[in-house]
């Protein structure tokens, strides 16, 4: 306290000598190294100051019961000389002693590029019985620049969120060239990275490889829809590739909907440093004196029970703390897109509303094509931005459809893509300065459209008004599908004077709009759609109840995609629709879509009588089991890559009820469930019965529903769902006696 008072009293004096003297006193005051454990139920991140008053990470691993023993960890490593004393820095800076990739790089007001961050103080606040927040303050001893590191822990879920704040009081602006959210440092024999790449209709394609020396970078520079080619989620296994239930594995995910950058650097001592944050590509940030720059959060969960253990912890955290209404309900729906595409009118839609009622879902969703008059939205090359009902298609407006939905005892939802604009639109003609485009270059389109400049407050208000006006005119509107199909080409804002701020301020503008919408309409369900999983992350999912994993709804493909998404996102957040994609029968398609939030995108009137009856019965069954799917613990039993049969179990917290999905994913001759599939997570002493659900009309089950098994038997020996070509999809209910 005395040193901080001295600093405050002397801070007005000229030069860096006073600051340097104060930090000299502090270094002597802290000559005994300070240990700061950041603990959750099972794991610990341990920070420690060294003799130079730098703050380092000395441990990331299983929590020790005796906190004093954290002090003994460093001495147990007899690695080669480290040279700098900051290679394991909690927030490595550049331009001083650091020889590795920095988390922060700055140019000071006087043009100097060096930075040395030293420990000043830390404070821990217990937010509630499960959440704690550690704040650590670091300062440069010469320049008046401060970084605050935040570690928010969720004890029961083993999740930690990290972010940073950067500010200064120099006599002029400081330029931030790099500004990571978090740094981690790990020690192991080897490291195995599981990362994800993709494209439209090919989302979440996994790759696993051993990390070698140097830097592995996962990043995006797309501006919007930034997950299209590379996902901001990953996992690192320590010592060997983790399996579903065995091995040590770290999950990481950046909570940011814009350009991201994740770096994994294996150093000369075989230690791994991990940096995650906003991509600094084309984005140096000019920080004014006293301005606070806050980075987005990076979340991590460390599991010692394999990939499955990590995912179950992350799912619980998401439902409890991050996903909008994560413990609430969801609406099943019928979407018109694959029934009509752009070719519809009021008469067709009213017939589909009757189909919605006949099918038995909760809501009808009107997709793209309902708006614009001067440049009608009859295909995807016109109309975006002109959010008035098309008078030819909808002479009585959306209101008449909402009323018709009410008359059929269903709800009504609508599609919008409010961040985008078509070159052929009235909005573009009236406000060309609202469009992201270089003034002296030819326009280049993605899906025949451009991006609106959400760094501009006027554009933010326009996007908010687009949503707000829909609700003002149609108070009974019950659902929004929010699309985002374009990426940023020729990045330029007519509003901004500093173009290097564009990528940051676009995303901040998007969040400002979503916060305003949620303040006025806190409970309306909204789907986060981006031509598929182009924008799914936990920052966006604070505002959306669900996301659209992929436009590829082929059920066989979806088994693989949903498998990978499920490592990071709970089933309640995944919108899965039954469509006409793929060659599988309606039962297979419906069973796959039930592993999440179920919807339909089919022509109900063209279903055969048995198909319609199956769908109606399946919806009734789904309504009884959806609490287990949405809120239960997920156990992946057999993966679709190395097995002919894929199997997934959802089990309630009491271990008394579960649902098992089994799918044939190999069409080779004789493929099927030759061997039993072992269950996981059961009470070994309880007895369970297995009953087949979702039987197609006219078929009988081969599963003996009268027979019971102990949990021990089902986990040791297993069960056989009798999956084969003529029984390609089998859904089983698990009940304790």
């Amino acid at each position: 306290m005395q040193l901080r008072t001295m600093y405050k009293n002397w801070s007005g004096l000229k030069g860096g000598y006073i600051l340097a003297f104060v930090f000299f006193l502090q270094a002597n005051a802290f000559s005994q190294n300070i240990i700061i454990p950041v603990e959750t139920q099972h794991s610990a991140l341990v920070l420690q100051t060294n003799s130079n008053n730098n703050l380092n990470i000395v441990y990331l691993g299983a929590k020790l019961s005796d906190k004093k023993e954290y002090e003994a960890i460093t001495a147990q490593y007899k690695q080669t000389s480290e040279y700098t004393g900051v290679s394991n820095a909690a927030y490595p800076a550049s331009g001083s002693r650091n020889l590795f990739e920095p988390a922060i790089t700055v140019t000071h007001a006087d043009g100097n590029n060096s930075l040395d961050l030293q420990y000043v103080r830390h404070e821990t606040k217990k937010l509630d019985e499960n959440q704690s927040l550690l704040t650590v303050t670091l300062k440069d001893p010469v320049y008046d620049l401060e970084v605050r590191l935040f570690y928010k822990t969720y004890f029961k879920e083993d999740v930690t969120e990290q972010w940073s704040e950067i500010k200064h009081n120099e006599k002029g602006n400081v330029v931030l060239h790099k500004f990571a959210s978090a740094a981690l440092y790990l020690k192991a024999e080897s490291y195995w990275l599981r990362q994800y790449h993709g494209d439209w209709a090919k989302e979440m394609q996994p790759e696993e490889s051993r990390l070698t020396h140097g830097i592995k970078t996962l990043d995006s520079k797309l501006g919007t829809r930034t997950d299209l080619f590379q996902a901001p989620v990953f996992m690192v296994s320590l010592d060997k590739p983790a399996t579903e239930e065995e091995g040590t594995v770290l999950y990481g995910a950046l909570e940011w909907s814009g350009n991201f950058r994740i770096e994994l650097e294996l150093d000369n001592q075989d230690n791994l440093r991990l940096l995650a944050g906003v991509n600094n590509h084309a984005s140096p940030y000019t920080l004014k004196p006293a301005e606070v720059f806050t980075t987005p959060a990076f979340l991590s969960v460390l599991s010692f029970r394999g990939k499955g253990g990590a995912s179950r912890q992350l799912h619980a955290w998401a439902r409890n703390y991050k996903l909008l209404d994560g413990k609430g309900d969801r609406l099943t729906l019928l979407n018109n897109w694959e029934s009509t595409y752009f070719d519809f009118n009021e008469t067709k839609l009213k017939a589909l509303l009757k189909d919605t009622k006949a099918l038995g879902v909760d809501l009808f969703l009107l997709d793209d094509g309902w708006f614009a008059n001067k440049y009608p939205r009859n295909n995807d090359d016109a109309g975006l931005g002109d959010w008035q009902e098309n008078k030819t298609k909808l002479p009585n407006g959306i209101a008449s459809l909402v009323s018709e939905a009410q008359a059929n005892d269903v709800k009504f939802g609508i599609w919008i893509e409010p961040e985008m604009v078509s070159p052929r639109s009235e909005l573009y003609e009236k406000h060309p300065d609202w469009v992201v485009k270089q003034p002296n270059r030819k326009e280049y389109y993605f899906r025949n459209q451009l991006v609106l400049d959400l760094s501009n407050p006027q554009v933010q208000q326009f996007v908010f008004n687009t949503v707000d006006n829909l609700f003002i005119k149609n108070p009974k509107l019950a659902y929004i599908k929010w699309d985002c199909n374009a990426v940023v080409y020729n990045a330029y804002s007519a509003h901004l004077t500093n173009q290097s701020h564009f990528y940051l301020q676009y995303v901040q503008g998007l969040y400002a709009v979503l916060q305003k919408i949620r303040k006025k309409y806190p409970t309306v369900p909204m789907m986060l759609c981006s031509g598929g999983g182009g924008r799914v992350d936990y920052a966006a999912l604070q505002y959306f109840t669900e996301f659209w994993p992929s436009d590829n709804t082929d059920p066989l493909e979806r088994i693989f995609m949903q498998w990978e998404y499920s490592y990071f996102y709970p089933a309640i957040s995944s919108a899965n629709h039954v469509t006409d994609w793929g060659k599988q029968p309606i039962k297979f398609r419906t069973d796959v879509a039930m592993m999440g939030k179920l919807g339909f995108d089919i022509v109900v009137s063209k279903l055969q009588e048995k198909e319609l009856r199956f769908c109606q019965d399946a919806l009734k069954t789904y309504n009884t089991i959806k609490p287990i799917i949405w809120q239960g613990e997920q156990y992946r039993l057999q993966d679709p890559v190395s097995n002919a049969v894929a199997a997934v179990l959802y089990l309630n917290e009491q271990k008394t009820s579960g649902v098992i999905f089994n799918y044939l994913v190999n069409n080779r001759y004789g493929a099927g469930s030759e061997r039993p599939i072992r269950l996981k997570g059961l009470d070994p002493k309880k007895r369970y019965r297995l009953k087949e659900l979702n039987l197609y009309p006219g078929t009988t089950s081969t599963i003996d529903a009268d027979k019971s098994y102990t949990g021990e038997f089902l986990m040791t020996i297993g069960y056989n769902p009798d999956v084969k070509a003529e029984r390609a999809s089998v859904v089983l209910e698990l009940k304790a006696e």
Side-chain angles (χ1 to χ4, degrees):
M1 179 63 72
Q2 183 180 9
L3 289 174
R4 289 200 295 272
T5 304
M6 292 168 62
Y7 173 78
K8 182 178 179 181
N9 292 338
W10 295 343
S11 60
L13 298 179
K14 280 190 169 184
Y17 295 105
I18 296 297
L19 281 173
F21 177 66
V22 170
F23 272 79
F24 169 78
L25 291 176
Q26 288 178 320
N28 282 274
F30 299 138
S31 58
Q32 287 189 336
N33 295 344
I34 296 172
I35 300 286
I36 310 172
V38 184
E39 294 181 323
T40 64
Q41 184 177 8
H42 299 106
S43 64
L45 169 70
V46 181
L47 309 174
Q48 182 177 352
T49 59
N50 64 11
S51 58
N52 291 318
N53 212 33
N54 299 116
L55 183 70
N56 294 330
I57 298 171
V58 296
Y59 180 68
L60 178 55
K63 183 172 72 173
L64 302 181
S65 56
D66 184 353
K67 289 186 179 183
K68 291 182 180 179
E69 291 199 312
Y70 290 131
E71 300 176 14
I73 291 175
T74 303
Q76 305 309 310
Y77 289 89
K78 307 295 182 182
Q79 294 173 294
T80 57
S81 177
E82 193 275 298
Y83 304 119
T84 70
V86 293
S87 70
N88 57 337
Y91 198 71
S94 67
S96 183
R97 304 192 313 280
N98 178 32
L99 300 176
F100 298 98
E101 187 65 25
I104 181 170
T105 303
V106 307
T107 297
H108 295 283
D110 65 0
N112 192 290
N113 292 322
S114 67
L115 186 62
D116 182 16
L117 295 174
Q118 296 186 8
Y119 171 86
V120 177
R121 60 183 173 271
H122 73 276
E123 177 186 22
T124 301
K125 288 184 179 179
K126 194 168 179 61
L127 305 179
D128 59 30
E129 289 304 308
N130 194 50
Q131 301 177 78
S132 295
L133 179 64
L134 167 69
T135 305
V136 184
T137 301
L138 309 175
K139 281 186 177 178
D140 190 294
V142 176
Y143 288 92
D144 194 356
L145 188 147
E146 176 183 290
V147 175
R148 298 175 77 200
L149 305 180
F150 296 88
Y151 301 83
K152 187 176 183 181
T153 54
Y154 302 81
F155 183 83
K156 184 179 178 182
E157 293 82 8
D158 286 318
V159 168
T160 302
E161 288 183 296
Q162 297 174 244
W163 68 95
S164 58
E165 285 183 354
I166 306 165
K167 68 176 182 179
H168 72 92
N169 288 298
E170 299 184 23
K171 298 184 183 303
N173 295 332
V174 169
V175 178
L176 306 180
H177 300 285
K178 191 172 184 182
F179 30 85
S181 298
L184 291 176
Y185 184 80
L186 300 104
K187 289 179 177 290
E189 292 295 322
S190 57
Y191 311 88
W192 298 82
L193 171 68
R194 189 176 182 90
Q195 65 184 90
Y196 296 90
H197 67 95
D199 200 344
W200 180 82
K202 294 186 291 186
E203 289 84 356
M204 287 299 281
Q205 303 298 308
E207 289 181 315
E208 189 157 14
S209 59
R210 181 170 179 166
L211 287 169
T212 57
H213 292 86
I215 300 179
K216 173 74 174 184
T217 302
L218 313 176
D219 77 335
S220 175
K221 305 179 184 72
L222 278 66
T224 61
R225 204 181 175 189
T226 50
D227 302 5
L228 181 61
F229 301 144
Q230 189 86 51
V233 296
F234 63 94
M235 58 181 86
V236 175
S237 300
L238 306 185
D239 299 324
K240 62 182 180 180
T243 64
E244 277 297 319
E245 305 302 330
E246 294 181 348
T248 302
V249 61
L250 175 81
Y251 276 29
L254 185 66
E255 299 176 36
W256 179 248
S257 305
N259 295 345
F260 60 85
R261 185 178 182 90
I262 296 160
E263 296 163 304
L264 303 105
E265 183 175 19
L266 187 60
D267 69 13
N268 59 303
Q269 293 184 319
D270 300 323
N271 302 319
L272 182 68
R273 61 183 42 76
L274 190 158
L275 302 173
V278 173
N279 198 333
N280 56 326
H281 163 73
S283 298
Y285 189 85
T286 301
L287 187 66
K288 299 174 183 176
E291 179 186 359
V292 177
F293 182 92
T294 304
T295 67
F298 170 75
L299 74 87
S300 61
V301 54
L302 184 64
S303 168
F304 310 99
R305 296 178 295 123
K307 297 183 290 186
S311 72
R312 287 186 288 277
Q313 294 295 87
L314 189 53
H315 292 175
W317 171 82
R319 291 189 297 257
N320 291 332
Y321 295 103
K322 190 62 65 167
L323 178 65
L324 183 66
D325 197 23
K327 305 293 283 186
D329 203 358
R330 297 292 186 270
L331 297 170
T332 55
L333 61 82
L334 175 66
N335 192 1
N336 75 299
W337 180 243
E338 293 194 19
S339 302
T340 66
Y341 295 99
F342 293 101
D343 183 19
F344 59 81
N345 55 33
E346 188 175 288
T347 302
K348 280 187 179 181
L349 294 179
K350 287 185 175 180
L352 290 173
L353 281 164
K354 289 182 172 56
D355 289 342
T356 306
K357 173 65 173 177
L359 183 61
V361 294
D362 302 314
L363 175 138
F364 174 77
L365 173 62
L366 176 58
D367 214 291
D368 196 355
W370 58 268
F371 51 91
N373 288 293
K374 183 177 180 180
Y375 302 102
R377 183 71 167 175
N378 294 325
N379 49 48
D380 68 3
D381 67 359
L384 273 181
D386 300 343
W387 299 105
Q388 67 281 141
E389 296 101 327
N390 181 275
K391 294 176 181 177
T392 301
K393 294 179 180 179
L394 304 176
N396 298 302
I398 297 296
S400 67
L401 296 173
V402 177
S403 297
E404 184 71 14
Q406 284 183 279
N408 282 278
D409 195 28
V410 296
K411 300 179 184 295
F412 188 87
I414 202 164
W415 176 98
I416 54 173
E417 192 174 1
E419 300 167 67
M420 308 298 160
V421 62
S422 299
R424 292 180 61 234
S425 68
E426 292 183 83
L427 179 65
Y428 185 92
E429 292 175 345
K430 292 177 183 176
H431 297 286
D433 57 318
W434 285 8
V435 179
V436 176
K437 58 173 185 171
Q438 289 283 349
N440 300 315
R441 298 191 185 279
K442 182 181 177 180
E443 292 177 1
Y444 194 65
Y445 308 127
F446 195 106
R447 201 188 181 227
N448 303 311
Q449 61 197 57
L450 293 164
V451 178
L452 290 175
D453 179 12
L454 277 177
S455 71
N456 184 337
Q458 287 183 295
V459 177
Q460 295 172 28
Q461 188 62 44
F462 168 80
V463 174
F464 171 78
N465 290 343
T466 297
V467 179
D468 191 34
N469 289 338
L470 281 169
F471 284 110
I472 290 171
K473 293 171 66 177
N474 308 284
K476 296 294 184 181
L477 191 64
Y479 187 91
I480 295 288
K481 178 181 177 181
W482 183 301
D483 217 335
C484 170
N485 284 303
V487 300
V488 172
Y489 292 126
N490 295 326
Y492 180 85
S493 166
H495 167 73
L496 294 176
T497 55
N498 189 337
Q499 295 302 315
S500 68
H501 290 190
F502 169 74
Y503 285 118
L504 282 165
Q505 294 194 359
Y506 179 91
V507 181
Q508 291 166 348
L510 170 66
Y511 293 159
V513 172
L514 291 169
Q515 288 164 9
K516 195 171 181 181
I517 289 170
R518 280 309 179 193
K519 185 176 181 180
K520 189 169 183 180
Y521 305 103
T523 61
V524 175
M526 292 206 306
M527 179 202 289
L528 175 62
C529 182
S530 190
R535 187 192 257 170
V536 55
D537 64 82
Y538 276 116
L541 285 174
Q542 296 176 97
Y543 308 106
F544 293 87
T545 49
E546 58 225 54
F547 73 95
W548 184 237
S550 178
D551 280 350
N552 184 344
T553 53
D554 181 315
L556 187 61
E557 294 286 346
R558 273 300 190 106
I559 290 170
F560 290 81
M561 287 184 190
Q562 290 169 201
W563 184 279
E564 300 299 336
Y565 273 118
S566 76
Y567 283 118
F568 300 95
Y569 305 105
I572 192 173
S573 67
S574 179
N576 308 329
H577 289 186
V578 181
T579 75
D580 289 330
W581 280 51
K583 299 177 181 179
Q584 290 77 18
I586 191 76
K587 171 176 164 50
F588 192 103
R589 288 179 271 151
T590 304
D591 290 350
V592 172
M594 286 173 71
M595 292 195 302
K597 204 227 74 171
L598 177 62
F600 289 80
D601 202 331
I602 56 176
V603 183
V604 176
S605 60
K606 292 184 179 179
L607 291 175
Q608 297 175 8
E609 186 271 333
K610 284 187 176 182
E611 291 178 326
L612 176 58
R613 184 147 47 98
F614 169 79
C615 292
Q616 292 168 332
D617 291 342
L619 276 160
K620 293 174 185 176
T621 298
Y622 180 72
N623 286 332
T624 65
I625 63 175
K626 65 185 182 184
I628 299 172
I629 298 170
W630 294 349
Q631 302 298 334
E633 293 194 323
Q634 181 180 6
Y635 292 87
R636 298 167 202 84
L637 307 178
Q638 281 193 178
D639 73 84
V641 175
S642 54
N643 296 280
V645 175
V648 177
L649 164 67
Y650 298 92
L651 185 67
N652 71 352
E653 186 178 357
Q654 296 76 25
K655 303 182 185 298
T656 57
S657 296
V659 186
I660 313 165
F661 294 90
N662 309 273
Y663 306 105
L664 183 65
V665 293
N666 185 332
N667 290 324
R668 303 221 34 197
Y669 178 76
S673 53
E674 296 178 351
R675 294 177 175 83
I677 298 171
R678 295 187 185 96
L679 295 187
K680 300 172 183 176
L682 304 184
D683 183 334
K685 296 181 180 179
K686 280 185 168 62
R687 296 195 71 86
Y688 296 90
R689 293 183 187 272
L690 295 169
K691 176 186 174 182
E692 186 165 358
L693 306 177
N694 277 18
L695 287 169
Y696 193 77
T699 64
T700 57
S701 177
T702 61
I703 304 299
D704 186 352
D706 294 326
K707 193 161 187 177
S708 67
Y709 308 87
T710 63
E712 180 188 36
F713 179 90
L714 291 171
M715 292 190 291
T716 305
I717 306 301
Y719 74 101
N720 196 313
D722 192 24
V723 172
K724 50 192 173 186
E726 57 271 28
R727 281 174 53 84
S729 174
V730 176
V731 181
L732 298 175
E733 180 183 49
L734 179 80
K735 283 281 189 183
E737 291 183 335

